[in-house]
Structure formats: structure tokens, C-alpha cells
Amino acid sequence: YGVTLNNAILAEDKHIPLYEELIAKFPVQYIAGGATLNSIRVAQWMLGVPGSTAYFGAVGEDSFGEKLEQCAMDDGLRMVLQKTSGVATGTCAVLINGGERSLVANLAAANTFTAAHLETEDAKDAVAKSKIVYTSGFFLTVSVDSILNVCKSVVEDNKIYCLNLSAPFIVQFFGDQLATAMQFADFVFANESEAATYGEVKGLGSDLPTIALKIAALPKASGCRPRVVVFTQGADSTIVACCGKVTTFAVDALPKHQLVDTNGAGDAFVGGFLSQLIQGKEISECVRAGHFASREIIQRSGCTFPKECNFV
């Protein structure tokens, strides 16, 4: 199917048979996911208080949509879903080889989210109560208008907006949309391949700390706080850039035999990070929580976690 490890792509026509082949030939796990939902589920797990988080997205009026909503609610999330008739709930094939993952996403109903949903009373209430807003770069392919709508509230009420680059193709092919969202971003997350692609596309070179500093220095729509840029690098140190300074945070080594599946590791890092950011913790503590969450997730299949969180 032409897929590569440590990458995420949108499904083309040639990839559609992949889903049936997976079901027919391999033991398949069904997990409520999507990059942003993974992050928010992890944040909710680490916070431990039901209703601490809310999730916006679009699903079809089908069994997969019902399962996704119920699984997330069971995890304690408030679900504010737009339900689209006649379109199937989106699915993502996660291919695992030697612990490394490759993602092939068929957006389907996830592609139907509109800014009109933000005008519902439930949505308005959730946005009003929020202190942090987080979107993945994947959502830039769906509804930039929705991001701009919510970011107006972010700026007016001095909330925190966080953005993830999410995949190299977002940087390569959705640069204008990314720039639109970037101006509001107080925190920017990326892994090493996404960061390297950004440096290449923008002519910033290949040195990741330099790229992080350049992104941190980009203009902001609100001047109330400096932008923080966070690059994860798998088992290598996490890079944090802010105010012209770069800090690195070592990742505790995980024995190879304990690695099960890297799928969701970056999402889990963000979830852990946000769980401490919302509590006003220092950046070093946010990174420590991110590392903890990633370490938990990669020792399990899919973005799943134990019932109890023992982060201290």
C-alpha cells in the first residue's frame, strides 16, 4: 500500500481495501481515537476528576460513532459531537511493525465538522468553561473557520491555545491554514519528523533547536504570553524553546522488550503535558508528565492506559 513507518497519511482510493484486509487477516483492536481525542483522554485520565475535559468532533450516526462517544464518556470526557447522517464515522488503520506505527486515516464523518456546531448551546457552554483549547494539525484540513471562531474567545478571555503540527503532510500541503492557526498558538507541539519538515519547507535549516526558536519567535495575535515550542524525539531528549532560550529534557530509557506500540505516544505526551499546564505547573513538570504518559502508552497496545493513574 506504499505506507512507511513513523508516518501518518490520509487514505486515498488505493488504501480503502486495506481496512477490509486488516479485519480479515489480523487480530484487530477497536479503540476510540483520533489524535486529539487520544490527548484529551490521557489528560482526563491524569486529572482524575470526571468532566475536567471536553471534546469536539464529528461522527456518523452509526455504531462506531456510538462506541466512540460511549468509550470517551466512560473515560470521564464531556462529548460535544456533531452527528452527520449519511456519512460513516471516521476510521484510522494503525499498522504496527516492530513496535513502530504507520497511520492511514479515512476521515469520512470527521471531515464534516462545521463552525455552525459551535453555535449550539452545549458547544458555547463548553467553550466558555474552558481554560485551554487544543487542536491537532489534522483539523486544519477540516474547518479553519472553527479554529478562528474559538480563537476569538481565546484572545478575548486570555485563554491558552495549543496547536500540534501532527504530520509532515500538514506542513507540506496546508501551510496557509497552519499559518492562520499559528498566530494564536501559545504552545506548539511536534515530533522530530514534523519539526524537520517545517524547517525544510520554511527554509529554516535542519537544526531542531533553531527551528523551535524560529517558531517561538513568529508573530502572535495576542501578546499576553510568549509562545512555547515543544519538540518530542521519541527516546531522545525533548526540546523546549521559549523567549530565545532552548532547554532539553532527557527521556528515561525504556528496555526494548517493554516497547509494545508507539501509536499514540505523541498524543499521550500532549495529554500529560496539558494535565499539568491546566494546574499552573512549571514547564519542567509539564514535560515530566508528558514523558510519564508516553511511557505508559507505549507499553500497551493502542492509546490505552491502566484504570488508575499513579503519576506523582
Side-chain angles (χ1 to χ4, degrees), residues 13 57 65 69 83 93 111 117 132 147 151 156-157 187 192 219 226 229 231 237 244 246 280 296 308:
D13 289 344
E69 184 172 24
K83 298 177 181 179
N111 218 16
H117 183 61
I132 296 175
I147 294 176
C151 281
E156 289 169 2
D157 299 329
F187 287 81
E192 69 274 35
V229 178
F231 291 165
S237 294
V246 172
E296 285 285 325
E308 301 295 330

Side-chain angles (χ1 to χ4, degrees), residues 37 40-41 44 50-51 53-55 72-79:
L37 184 53
I40 304 309
R41 286 175 56 239
Q44 177 62 55
T53 60
Y55 174 78
M73 289 171 63
D74 289 345
D75 285 337
L77 281 72
R78 174 181 178 178
M79 298 298 282

Side-chain angles (χ1 to χ4, degrees), residues 144-213:
V144 175
D145 287 346
S146 296
I147 294 176
L148 290 174
N149 181 311
V150 174
C151 281
K152 288 177 183 176
S153 168
V154 168
V155 172
E156 289 169 2
D157 299 329
N158 195 25
K159 298 177 181 181
I160 295 172
Y161 175 56
C162 305
L163 174 68
N164 201 315
L165 299 189
S166 294
F169 81 85
I170 297 295
V171 178
Q172 293 166 321
F173 305 117
F174 295 89
D176 290 345
Q177 295 90 328
L178 179 58
T180 297
M182 184 73 78
Q183 63 182 318
F184 297 102
D186 297 300
F187 287 81
V188 176
F189 298 95
N191 67 22
E192 69 274 35
S193 59
E194 296 149 9
T197 301
Y198 191 95
E200 181 182 349
V201 169
K202 299 296 184 180
L204 304 178
S206 58
D207 181 64
L208 295 189
T210 299
I211 296 168
L213 286 170

